[in-house]
């Protein structure tokens, strides 16, 4: 079995959201781990035209996914593998040459670099 490096991952409500390294689908993969011995793959999702996901973060309620060209806030409470987009944030007025690389969380703020 081949091993796959994980770029970033986060757990929210017994669901793991993970970004595998350089995956061709440019997606976030979703696994339910509520039953410890039997993880269930729920699927994956991306954000069309936004490039590779590079980071995931949660504030305990929402899921934030940083793609190369946009930061997306999701509601994952109903269907984690088909989350509802709450907000999108584009860098530098959406300039195509602008790419975001990382997320940092502090208190009630999320910083994007």
């Amino acid at each position: 079995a081949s091993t796959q490096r994980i770029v970033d991952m986060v757990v929210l409500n017994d669901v793991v959201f993970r970004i595998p390294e350089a995956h061709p689908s440019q997606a976030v993969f979703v696994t339910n781990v509520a039953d410890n011995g039997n993880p269930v793959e729920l699927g994956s999702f991306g954000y069309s035209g936004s490039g590779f996901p590079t980071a995931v973060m949660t504030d305990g309620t929402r899921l934030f996914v940083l793609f190369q060209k946009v930061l997306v806030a999701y509601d994952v409470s109903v269907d984690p593998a088909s989350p509802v987009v709450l907000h999108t944030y584009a860098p530098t007025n959406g300039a195509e040459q602008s790419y975001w690389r990382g997320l940092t969380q502090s208190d009630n703020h999320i910083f994007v670099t």
Side-chain angles (χ1 to χ4, degrees):
S2 64
T3 57
Q4 187 179 58
R5 288 185 53 154
I6 301 299
V7 174
D8 200 9
M9 64 177 283
V10 71
V11 181
L12 178 60
N13 300 331
D14 290 327
V15 176
V16 175
F17 298 89
R18 70 189 188 282
I19 300 171
E21 187 175 59
H23 197 280
S25 69
Q26 299 188 359
V28 177
F29 288 77
V30 186
T31 307
N32 187 313
V33 293
D35 181 352
N36 291 336
N38 297 293
V40 178
E41 296 295 333
L42 301 179
S44 63
F45 65 89
Y47 197 82
S48 182
S50 294
F52 284 96
T54 59
V56 286
M57 185 174 287
T58 181
D59 62 358
T61 304
R62 297 165 294 178
L63 178 74
F64 297 89
V65 180
L66 183 67
F67 294 90
Q68 287 175 305
K69 297 182 181 181
V70 68
L71 172 65
V72 185
Y74 291 102
D75 177 348
V76 295
S77 62
V78 177
D79 182 355
S82 296
V84 176
V85 174
L86 297 173
H87 300 287
T88 59
Y89 311 91
T92 321
N93 301 322
E96 285 298 314
Q97 67 271 22
S98 298
Y99 285 105
W100 281 346
R101 307 208 187 296
L103 285 175
T104 306
Q105 193 168 14
S106 175
D107 299 326
N108 294 322
H109 296 83
I110 289 180
F111 300 93
V112 185
T113 55

